[in-house]
C-alpha cells in the first residue's frame, strides 16, 4: 500500500491530468518534470509523451535526457534501468516479467521476474517488445516492431521477431 500511495497513485494522477496536453517540447518536458518524483530515480530533462503507462514505477530508473514517445508501457515488476540519452519510439512495451504456464493455462502461472537494462544512447524504435531479463547495450538500435528476448551487445542493430543482431554500428 505504501508504494501505491508514494509512487503509483500520484504518477497516474499526473499522467491523467497532462494527457490532454499536446506532444510538443514544452509539454513533453512538463510531463517529464511532473512524473520524475514518482519513479525509482530519474535524471534531468525527461520528456514523456501522452498515454504512457508505468506499473511499479518505484522499480523504474531513468537516466538524463531520455525521450519516451506516445503510448509506451512499462511493467516494473523487477528493476528496469534506462541509461542516459535513450529514445523510445511510440507504442513499445518494456516488461520485467513474463508469464508461465500452469495446468495448461498462462492465466494463473507464476510470473518470472527479471531486471531489464537499456544502455546509454540506445534507440528503441516504435512497436517493440522488450522482455524480462534482457540487457541492451550502449548505442544500440532496435528496429521497429521487434521482440527483444535476448541480450544485444553495445553498438549493434538488432531487429525481427525474435530480434537478432543484424550488424555492427561501429
Amino acid at each position: 500500500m505504501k508504494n501505491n500511495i508514494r509512487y503509483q497513485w500520484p504518477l497516474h494522477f499526473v499522467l491523467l491530468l497532462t494527457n490532454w496536453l499536446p506532444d510538443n517540447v514544452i509539454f513533453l518536458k512538463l510531463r517529464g518534470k511532473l512524473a520524475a518524483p514518482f519513479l525509482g530515480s530519474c535524471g534531468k530533462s525527461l520528456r514523456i509523451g501522452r498515454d504512457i503507462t508505468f506499473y511499479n514505477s518505484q522499480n523504474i530508473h531513468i537516466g538524463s535526457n531520455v525521450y519516451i514517445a506516445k503510448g509506451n508501457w512499462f511493467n516494473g515488476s523487477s528493476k528496469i534501468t534506462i541509461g542516459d540519452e535513450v529514445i523510445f519510439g511510440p507504442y513499445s512495451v518494456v516488461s520485467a516479467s513474463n508469464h508461465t504456464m500452469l495446468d495448461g493455462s498462462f492465466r494463473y502461472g507464476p510470473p518470472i521476474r527479471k531486471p531489464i537494462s537499456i544502455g546509454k544512447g540506445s534507440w528503441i524504435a516504435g512497436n517493440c517488445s522488450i522482455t524480462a531479463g534482457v540487457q541492451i547495450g550502449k548505442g544500440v538500435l532496435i528496429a521497429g516492431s521487434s521482440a527483444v528476448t535476448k541480450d544485444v551487445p553495445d553498438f549493434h542493430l538488432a531487429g525481427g521477431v525474435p530480434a537478432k543482431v543484424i550488424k555492427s554500428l561501429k
Side-chain angles (χ1 to χ4, degrees):
M1 185 55 116
K2 180 181 172 187
N3 282 333
N4 281 336
I5 293 169
R6 165 64 179 91
Y7 295 99
Q8 303 307 308
W9 295 346
L11 180 56
H12 289 300
F13 186 68
V14 163
L15 295 175
L16 175 70
L17 288 179
T18 60
N19 270 339
W20 64 275
L21 297 169
D23 280 349
N24 62 37
V25 174
I26 292 168
F27 296 125
L28 292 169
K29 285 181 178 180
L30 174 64
R31 206 174 283 119
K33 192 164 196 73
L34 293 173
F38 307 111
L39 298 167
S41 64
C42 186
K44 63 181 169 84
S45 192
L46 172 63
R47 296 180 187 196
I48 299 178
R50 289 179 289 168
D51 303 322
I52 306 298
T53 301
F54 293 101
Y55 288 113
N56 299 307
S57 61
Q58 72 276 7
N59 293 331
I60 300 171
H61 302 271
I62 300 177
S64 295
N65 303 304
V66 171
Y67 171 70
I68 302 171
K70 177 181 174 63
N72 280 273
W73 192 85
F74 296 86
N75 175 358
S77 295
S78 188
K79 187 175 183 178
I80 296 174
T81 305
I82 300 167
D84 297 341
E85 303 167 18
V86 172
I87 302 169
F88 285 90
Y91 302 106
S92 290
V93 174
V94 179
S95 182
S97 65
N98 289 335
H99 294 279
T100 61
M101 190 177 282
L102 178 67
D103 297 329
S105 172
F106 285 100
R107 176 65 180 100
Y108 295 107
I112 296 173
R113 295 180 175 97
K114 294 182 182 176
I116 294 172
S117 174
I118 301 171
K120 179 181 178 177
S122 292
W123 175 15
I124 312 303
N127 299 297
C128 291
S129 295
I130 299 172
T131 60
V134 168
Q135 291 189 7
I136 296 173
K138 298 175 190 171
V140 169
L141 170 56
I142 303 296
S145 300
S146 296
V148 184
T149 59
K150 295 183 180 170
D151 296 353
V152 180
D154 294 351
F155 306 107
H156 280 80
L157 164 65
V161 179
K164 294 182 175 137
V165 172
I166 296 170
K167 69 176 190 174
S168 174
L169 296 174
K170 275 200 156 190

